[in-house]
Amino acid sequence: NAGVTQTPKFQVLKTGQSMTLQCAQDMNHEYMSWYRQDPGMGLRLIHYSVGAGITDQGEVPNGYNVSRSTTEDFPLRLLSAAPSQTSVYFCASTSIDTQYFGPGTRLTVL
Amino acid sequence: GEDVEQSLFLSVREGDSSVINCTYTDSSSTYLYWYKQEPGAGLQLLTYIFSNMDMKQDQRLTVLLNKKDKHLSLRIADTQTGDSAIYFCAESIRGTYKYIFGTGTRLKVLA
Protein backbone atom coordinates (compact mmCIF):
# COMPACT_ATOMS: atom_id res chain seq x y z
CA ASN A 1 0.00 0.00 0.00
CA ALA A 2 1.85 3.10 -1.26
CA GLY A 3 -0.45 5.70 0.33
CA VAL A 4 0.24 9.10 -1.22
CA THR A 5 3.00 9.45 -3.80
CA GLN A 6 4.42 12.63 -5.29
CA THR A 7 6.79 13.28 -8.17
CA PRO A 8 9.25 14.78 -8.67
CA LYS A 9 11.00 15.03 -5.31
CA PHE A 10 13.07 18.04 -6.41
CA GLN A 11 12.67 20.51 -9.25
CA VAL A 12 14.42 23.68 -10.39
CA LEU A 13 12.62 25.98 -12.81
CA LYS A 14 13.38 29.26 -14.48
CA THR A 15 10.96 32.16 -14.13
CA GLY A 16 8.15 31.80 -16.65
CA GLN A 17 8.43 28.06 -17.13
CA SER A 18 5.45 25.81 -16.50
CA MET A 19 5.37 22.38 -14.94
CA THR A 20 3.07 19.85 -13.32
CA LEU A 21 3.54 18.30 -9.90
CA GLN A 22 2.08 14.83 -9.79
CA CYS A 23 0.16 13.32 -6.88
CA ALA A 24 -1.51 9.92 -6.60
CA GLN A 25 -3.21 7.99 -3.82
CA ASP A 26 -4.31 4.39 -3.62
CA MET A 27 -6.67 4.65 -0.64
CA ASN A 28 -9.79 5.50 -2.68
CA HIS A 29 -10.24 8.81 -0.84
CA GLU A 30 -12.57 11.37 -2.35
CA TYR A 31 -10.92 14.40 -0.76
CA MET A 32 -7.45 15.49 -1.83
CA SER A 33 -5.58 18.74 -1.38
CA TRP A 34 -2.40 20.62 -2.16
CA TYR A 35 -0.45 22.67 0.37
CA ARG A 36 2.67 24.74 0.24
CA GLN A 37 5.02 24.98 3.19
CA ASP A 38 7.12 28.06 3.77
CA PRO A 39 9.35 28.78 6.79
CA GLY A 40 7.43 30.21 9.73
CA MET A 41 4.10 30.00 7.89
CA GLY A 42 3.02 26.42 8.41
CA LEU A 43 0.99 24.81 5.66
CA ARG A 44 -1.22 26.88 3.41
CA LEU A 45 -3.94 25.33 1.29
CA ILE A 46 -3.62 25.95 -2.45
CA HIS A 47 -6.45 23.92 -3.99
CA TYR A 48 -8.57 20.98 -2.98
CA SER A 49 -10.93 18.47 -4.53
CA VAL A 50 -13.91 16.66 -3.03
CA GLY A 51 -14.11 14.10 -5.82
CA ALA A 52 -13.42 13.43 -9.47
CA GLY A 53 -14.38 16.43 -11.57
CA ILE A 54 -14.76 18.77 -8.57
CA THR A 55 -12.06 21.21 -7.49
CA ASP A 56 -12.02 24.44 -5.53
CA GLN A 57 -9.63 27.13 -4.39
CA GLY A 58 -7.92 27.23 -1.06
CA GLU A 59 -6.13 30.05 0.70
CA VAL A 60 -3.38 30.76 -1.89
CA PRO A 61 -4.60 29.60 -5.34
CA ASN A 62 -3.09 32.29 -7.58
CA GLY A 63 -0.62 30.96 -10.12
CA TYR A 64 -1.75 27.35 -9.78
CA ASN A 65 -4.28 25.13 -11.56
CA VAL A 66 -5.58 21.71 -10.64
CA SER A 67 -7.70 19.04 -12.25
CA ARG A 68 -9.21 15.79 -10.98
CA SER A 69 -10.10 13.41 -13.76
CA THR A 70 -9.82 10.29 -11.57
CA THR A 71 -10.16 9.54 -7.88
CA GLU A 72 -6.50 8.51 -7.70
CA ASP A 73 -4.73 11.47 -9.32
CA PHE A 74 -4.63 15.15 -8.42
CA PRO A 75 -1.94 17.05 -10.36
CA LEU A 76 -0.95 20.63 -9.57
CA ARG A 77 0.09 22.82 -12.48
CA LEU A 78 2.23 25.95 -12.24
CA LEU A 79 1.25 28.11 -15.18
CA SER A 80 4.19 30.54 -15.29
CA ALA A 81 6.61 29.96 -12.44
CA ALA A 82 7.70 32.90 -10.28
CA PRO A 83 10.39 33.07 -7.55
CA SER A 84 7.59 33.54 -4.98
CA GLN A 85 6.54 29.96 -5.76
CA THR A 86 9.78 28.58 -4.39
CA SER A 87 8.50 26.30 -1.66
CA VAL A 88 7.89 22.74 -0.57
CA TYR A 89 4.64 21.34 -1.92
CA PHE A 90 2.67 18.62 -0.20
CA CYS A 91 -0.24 16.64 -1.53
CA ALA A 92 -2.66 15.14 0.98
CA SER A 93 -5.43 12.59 0.83
CA THR A 94 -8.14 12.59 3.48
CA SER A 95 -10.25 9.87 5.03
CA ILE A 96 -13.17 10.59 7.35
CA ASP A 97 -10.89 11.36 10.27
CA THR A 98 -7.28 11.61 9.07
CA GLN A 99 -5.22 13.42 6.47
CA TYR A 100 -2.32 11.52 4.88
CA PHE A 101 0.56 13.40 3.33
CA GLY A 102 2.90 12.64 0.48
CA PRO A 103 6.68 13.06 0.87
CA GLY A 104 6.69 16.49 -0.77
CA THR A 105 8.20 18.22 -3.81
CA ARG A 106 10.91 20.81 -3.18
CA LEU A 107 10.62 23.45 -5.90
CA THR A 108 13.08 26.24 -6.59
CA VAL A 109 12.26 28.97 -9.10
CA LEU A 110 15.23 31.02 -10.27
CA GLY B 1 -11.78 33.51 11.92
CA GLU B 2 -10.02 30.18 12.05
CA ASP B 3 -6.50 30.24 13.44
CA VAL B 4 -4.10 27.81 15.11
CA GLU B 5 -1.10 29.15 16.99
CA GLN B 6 2.05 27.50 18.26
CA SER B 7 5.35 28.71 19.60
CA LEU B 8 8.14 28.34 17.05
CA PHE B 9 10.90 26.69 19.08
CA LEU B 10 11.41 24.37 22.04
CA SER B 11 14.67 22.96 23.35
CA VAL B 12 14.89 20.13 25.92
CA ARG B 13 17.54 17.78 27.26
CA GLU B 14 17.48 14.10 26.35
CA GLY B 15 15.48 12.13 28.90
CA ASP B 16 13.37 15.12 29.99
CA SER B 17 9.71 15.56 29.09
CA SER B 18 8.73 17.91 26.27
CA VAL B 19 5.47 19.81 26.22
CA ILE B 20 4.37 21.44 22.97
CA ASN B 21 1.41 23.78 23.17
CA CYS B 22 -1.19 24.90 20.68
CA THR B 23 -4.19 27.21 20.80
CA TYR B 24 -7.03 27.29 18.31
CA THR B 25 -9.95 29.59 17.70
CA ASP B 26 -12.59 27.52 15.91
CA SER B 27 -14.90 25.82 18.39
CA SER B 28 -16.52 23.67 15.70
CA SER B 29 -13.49 21.43 15.25
CA THR B 30 -14.14 17.72 15.07
CA TYR B 31 -10.66 16.33 15.63
CA LEU B 32 -7.38 17.86 16.73
CA TYR B 33 -4.14 16.43 15.45
CA TRP B 34 -0.43 16.32 16.06
CA TYR B 35 1.85 15.73 13.10
CA LYS B 36 5.62 15.25 13.11
CA GLN B 37 7.87 16.39 10.29
CA GLU B 38 11.47 15.22 10.17
CA PRO B 39 14.00 17.09 7.99
CA GLY B 40 13.32 16.66 4.28
CA ALA B 41 10.25 14.52 4.88
CA GLY B 42 6.48 14.86 4.74
CA LEU B 43 4.12 15.15 7.68
CA GLN B 44 3.57 11.99 9.69
CA LEU B 45 0.44 11.67 11.80
CA LEU B 46 1.46 11.13 15.42
CA THR B 47 -1.85 11.09 17.19
CA TYR B 48 -5.24 12.76 17.24
CA ILE B 49 -8.00 13.39 19.73
CA PHE B 50 -11.70 13.71 19.22
CA SER B 51 -13.00 17.08 20.31
CA ASN B 52 -15.21 15.64 23.06
CA MET B 53 -12.25 13.98 24.81
CA ASP B 54 -9.98 15.52 27.44
CA MET B 55 -6.96 13.27 27.23
CA LYS B 56 -5.42 10.57 25.10
CA GLN B 57 -2.32 8.54 25.89
CA ASP B 58 -0.30 6.55 23.40
CA GLN B 59 2.99 5.12 24.71
CA ARG B 60 5.28 8.12 25.33
CA LEU B 61 2.74 10.59 23.97
CA THR B 62 0.02 12.29 26.01
CA VAL B 63 -2.44 14.69 24.41
CA LEU B 64 -4.42 17.05 26.64
CA LEU B 65 -7.36 19.08 25.39
CA ASN B 66 -8.86 22.01 27.28
CA LYS B 67 -11.96 22.91 25.30
CA LYS B 68 -12.86 25.86 27.48
CA ASP B 69 -9.52 27.57 26.80
CA LYS B 70 -9.18 26.05 23.29
CA HIS B 71 -5.77 24.74 24.24
CA LEU B 72 -4.15 21.53 23.05
CA SER B 73 -0.85 20.13 24.27
CA LEU B 74 1.43 17.24 23.34
CA ARG B 75 3.65 15.78 26.04
CA ILE B 76 6.52 13.53 25.01
CA ALA B 77 7.92 11.54 27.92
CA ASP B 78 11.62 10.58 28.05
CA THR B 79 12.43 12.69 25.00
CA GLN B 80 15.04 11.18 22.69
CA THR B 81 17.29 12.73 20.03
CA GLY B 82 15.10 11.00 17.43
CA ASP B 83 12.20 13.17 18.57
CA SER B 84 13.94 16.25 17.15
CA ALA B 85 11.58 17.47 14.44
CA ILE B 86 8.90 20.04 13.69
CA TYR B 87 5.54 19.31 15.33
CA PHE B 88 2.36 20.66 13.79
CA CYS B 89 -0.93 21.07 15.53
CA ALA B 90 -4.01 20.94 13.28
CA GLU B 91 -7.76 20.96 13.59
CA SER B 92 -10.41 19.63 11.26
CA ILE B 93 -13.53 21.74 10.87
CA ARG B 94 -16.83 20.02 11.61
CA GLY B 95 -18.89 19.27 8.53
CA THR B 96 -16.02 19.91 6.12
CA TYR B 97 -12.80 18.29 5.05
CA LYS B 98 -10.97 21.49 5.86
CA TYR B 99 -7.89 21.37 8.07
CA ILE B 100 -6.23 24.35 9.72
CA PHE B 101 -2.54 23.96 10.57
CA GLY B 102 -0.39 25.82 13.03
CA THR B 103 3.01 27.21 12.04
CA GLY B 104 4.81 24.26 13.64
CA THR B 105 7.08 24.01 16.70
CA ARG B 106 10.68 23.03 16.09
CA LEU B 107 11.78 20.69 18.89
CA LYS B 108 15.50 20.36 19.49
CA VAL B 109 16.67 17.61 21.82
CA LEU B 110 20.08 18.15 23.40
CA ALA B 111 22.22 15.13 24.22
Side-chain angles (χ1 to χ4, degrees), chain A residues 31 37 42 90 97-99 101, chain B residues 33 35 37 45 48 88 97:
Chain A
Y31 188 89
Q37 183 183 19
F90 289 101
D97 58 5
T98 306
Q99 198 166 46
F101 285 85
Chain B
Y33 302 83
Y35 284 85
Q37 184 183 33
L45 179 66
Y48 65 94
F88 288 93
Y97 284 96

Side-chain angles (χ1 to χ4, degrees), chain B residues 68-97:
Chain B
K68 174 176 171 292
D69 294 336
K70 297 180 184 173
H71 182 266
L72 182 74
S73 67
L74 173 69
R75 179 177 180 269
I76 306 173
D78 187 24
T79 312
Q80 303 297 308
T81 54
D83 295 323
S84 292
I86 302 175
Y87 290 81
F88 288 93
C89 168
E91 61 171 338
S92 62
I93 306 303
R94 189 184 303 275
T96 77
Y97 284 96

Side-chain angles (χ1 to χ4, degrees), chain B residues 18-81:
Chain B
S18 308
V19 180
I20 304 171
N21 294 301
C22 168
T23 57
Y24 60 96
T25 56
D26 197 309
S27 58
S28 65
S29 56
T30 307
Y31 292 95
L32 294 125
Y33 302 83
W34 285 104
Y35 284 85
K36 177 183 181 182
Q37 184 183 33
E38 296 183 359
L43 275 70
Q44 171 196 356
L45 179 66
L46 273 182
T47 186
Y48 65 94
I49 187 168
F50 193 52
S51 59
N52 68 355
M53 296 171 62
D54 296 323
M55 185 182 87
K56 181 179 180 181
Q57 189 149 4
D58 184 1
Q59 298 181 349
R60 292 191 297 122
L61 305 178
T62 302
V63 178
L64 294 177
L65 176 60
N66 181 328
K67 290 181 284 297
K68 174 176 171 292
D69 294 336
K70 297 180 184 173
H71 182 266
L72 182 74
S73 67
L74 173 69
R75 179 177 180 269
I76 306 173
D78 187 24
T79 312
Q80 303 297 308
T81 54

